[in-house]
Amino acid sequence: MKKLFYLGVLGVIIFEILNVYFIMPMPGSQQMRSIDIAYFLYTWRWIFRGIFGAMIVLGILPAFQQARWLTLLGILLATGVCYAFNFKMAADAMFEETQALSMKPANENQIKLDRVIIGVEINGEAKAYPISQIIYHHQVRDTLAGKPIMVTYCSVCRTGRVFEPTVNGKPETFRLVGMDHFNAMFEDNTTKSWWRQANGEAITGKLKGTMLPELASQQVSLDTWLKMYPASTIMQPDLKYKEEYDSTAKYESGRSRKKLTGTDSLSWKDKSWVVGIQIGKESKAFDWNRLKKERIIQTNIGNEAILLVLANDNKSFFAFKSPTNNGKFTIKNDTLMDDKLRYNLKGESIDQNKMVHISLAKVNAYQEFWHSWKTFHPNTQQY
């Protein structure tokens, strides 16, 4: 019977490690297609724990009688592993959600104007969320124009996305559960399905294949955002997490050299910055270094003519559908110009004396690490 004790201790240790290994950035774990294995272990975790726990109980007395200190060591080791992997290494324990969301207008704002934000606007109401804060929390839940929104960011992929947290037409809440292929995963509270942050897709569980509705968002400097939407409110720091926020400055500017979140200054390396755009089933990635040199790129994605532009601050980028395949656009002082009209960075015509007023249709564009974009868009083109 004493063998049951040791097998139970070994089983608990191996199980708790594997239960976290597949969904956290451990050596080799994120390169495997192991999400279904990870979800199986997680779903049946209490069954596994019950079996190994019963083995420990049945064998503890004979084991203790033969080797008292070895038995105590086994219990301590199993307890320590359980505590570490469930309370210290759990994603939602490492990255807490803010419980004190504070949104302030520009005249009360404490965020520096050169910081990068994720901006969202619906029906004339605009809000800005500094990535220095979302990086740590991974998600911020709020409402905008009466609609619930979920602002998300994954620092390992450099992906900012905004979703409407509704599933089958009903409001839903999510918690950070881990990552898959280096991208943050959220678990919904109702079905316990796991959702990919990069595109809002349920990748395993009862709702596998379901997509969260994505809202149009913009990654820009706060200064540029407020010039576009001066009435916007801005998320303010939760002082409880000041140290965590302060640690993101190098990441935001691309000066971090950490293995998971560092930036490669060369082009088309795993940690190089790209701007990704998807139109229908077609997608294209644009090298950030080239965009900084050219400032404006005109190309086609599928059958759509696309403009990608970079503002003077070298942080704010915008994508639009071009009204013509043949028109030649230029940009100067954050004003887009073709041979007929001028446009601001919102895509609005600013030539009030013209008879024709045309707005350029916005297109979602994402700054992202190259390894992330090519993983989730395997057939993407490179510009």
Side-chain angles (χ1 to χ4, degrees):
M1 293 291 285
K2 65 177 182 286
K3 290 183 179 180
L4 283 177
F5 172 79
Y6 295 113
L7 288 173
V9 168
L10 184 62
V12 165
I13 292 172
I14 293 174
F15 171 77
E16 296 297 345
I17 291 174
L18 290 179
N19 196 35
V20 172
Y21 171 81
F22 290 115
I23 57 174
M24 293 298 280
M26 297 184 179
S29 69
Q30 297 300 301
Q31 286 83 7
M32 295 185 287
R33 294 184 177 274
S34 56
I35 191 63
D36 290 328
I37 297 174
Y39 192 71
F40 171 80
L41 293 175
Y42 177 79
T43 301
W44 296 96
R45 63 194 182 281
W46 290 112
I47 300 298
F48 284 104
R49 288 167 179 165
I51 292 172
F52 295 130
M55 293 170 66
I56 290 172
V57 170
L58 290 173
I60 190 169
L61 185 58
F64 187 78
Q65 290 173 341
Q66 184 181 53
R68 178 181 302 179
W69 292 110
L70 186 60
T71 303
L72 291 175
L73 180 62
I75 292 173
L76 286 173
L77 186 59
T79 302
V81 168
C82 288
Y83 176 77
F85 280 82
N86 285 281
F87 295 98
K88 291 296 183 180
M89 298 186 68
D92 55 348
M94 296 171 66
F95 305 100
E96 298 178 0
E97 294 182 37
T98 180
Q99 302 299 315
L101 179 62
S102 175
M103 306 296 296
K104 298 290 185 181
N107 62 350
E108 300 178 39
N109 170 56
Q110 299 177 24
I111 304 298
K112 293 182 179 179
L113 293 178
D114 64 347
R115 301 307 294 265
V116 176
I117 60 96
I118 300 295
V120 197
E121 180 270 330
I122 300 176
N123 296 331
E125 184 179 346
K127 292 187 176 183
Y129 304 84
I131 69 169
S132 60
Q133 297 173 54
I134 317 173
I135 284 170
Y136 171 70
H137 298 299
H138 283 73
Q139 66 159 319
V140 173
R141 292 193 296 272
D142 199 3
T143 59
L144 182 63
K147 182 189 294 288
I149 65 172
M150 178 180 171
V151 185
T152 71
Y153 200 94
C154 176
S155 59
V156 182
C157 288
R158 205 174 178 89
T159 48
R161 303 286 191 271
V162 180
F163 301 105
E164 184 178 348
T166 58
V167 178
N168 296 325
K170 297 180 180 179
E172 185 57 88
T173 58
F174 296 82
R175 74 175 184 95
L176 182 68
V177 71
M179 61 169 51
D180 176 62
H181 286 82
F182 294 106
N183 186 241
M185 283 192 308
F186 298 101
E187 178 187 80
D188 72 75
N189 186 55
T190 302
T191 72
K192 308 301 181 183
S193 299
W194 288 355
W195 304 73
R196 177 177 290 147
Q197 182 271 343
N199 59 4
E201 179 186 6
I203 55 176
T204 190
K206 293 180 180 179
L207 297 177
K208 184 176 181 178
T210 304
M211 304 290 291
L212 288 177
E214 185 179 357
L215 301 175
S217 61
Q218 199 77 56
Q219 181 176 306
V220 296
S221 70
L222 179 57
D223 184 46
T224 296
W225 181 256
L226 289 176
K227 288 176 181 175
M228 298 165 61
Y229 303 100
S232 175
T233 54
I234 305 104
M235 180 182 175
Q236 301 302 297
D238 182 340
L239 296 181
K240 179 181 178 181
Y241 305 105
K242 183 180 186 303
E243 184 177 340
E244 285 80 4
Y245 298 158
D246 290 345
S247 68
T248 64
K250 286 186 177 181
Y251 171 85
E252 184 177 322
S253 62
R255 293 181 290 115
S256 172
R257 292 296 178 263
K258 294 181 179 179
K259 183 177 180 180
L260 287 176
T261 58
T263 294
D264 197 317
S265 59
L266 300 177
S267 300
W268 302 115
K269 303 297 183 181
D270 278 354
K271 287 296 182 179
S272 301
W273 293 3
V274 301
V275 174
I277 300 176
Q278 180 169 339
I279 304 292
K281 295 183 179 180
E282 303 290 330
S283 65
K284 188 172 289 189
F286 303 83
D287 171 36
W288 185 261
N289 292 328
R290 182 171 179 179
L291 179 60
K292 285 199 296 184
K293 290 179 180 178
E294 298 185 13
R295 317 296 306 182
I296 183 168
I297 293 174
Q298 296 181 240
T299 186
N300 281 64
I301 301 179
N303 295 322
E304 292 285 356
I306 298 296
L307 298 172
L308 176 62
V309 301
L310 182 66
N312 282 343
D313 61 17
N314 280 337
K315 299 177 180 181
S316 309
F317 57 96
F318 306 84
F320 306 97
K321 290 183 180 180
S322 175
T324 172
N325 283 308
N326 301 319
K328 181 65 176 177
F329 279 81
T330 58
I331 186 169
K332 184 177 181 181
N333 297 325
D334 289 345
T335 298
L336 276 166
M337 297 170 284
D338 63 9
D339 56 353
K340 295 180 181 179
L341 296 172
R342 297 179 302 157
Y343 305 86
N344 61 23
L345 292 178
K346 295 168 71 174
E348 300 169 338
S349 170
I350 57 176
D351 291 307
Q352 299 299 323
N353 59 332
K354 299 289 185 179
M355 294 297 294
V356 179
H357 299 283
I358 301 175
S359 290
L360 301 176
K362 297 178 183 178
V363 174
N364 266 2
Y366 310 100
Q367 187 190 70
E368 201 156 327
F369 285 135
W370 172 229
H371 77 81
S372 173
W373 184 261
K374 67 182 179 182
T375 294
F376 302 120
H377 301 82
N379 298 317
T380 194
Q381 295 180 318
Q382 293 175 244
Y383 179 81

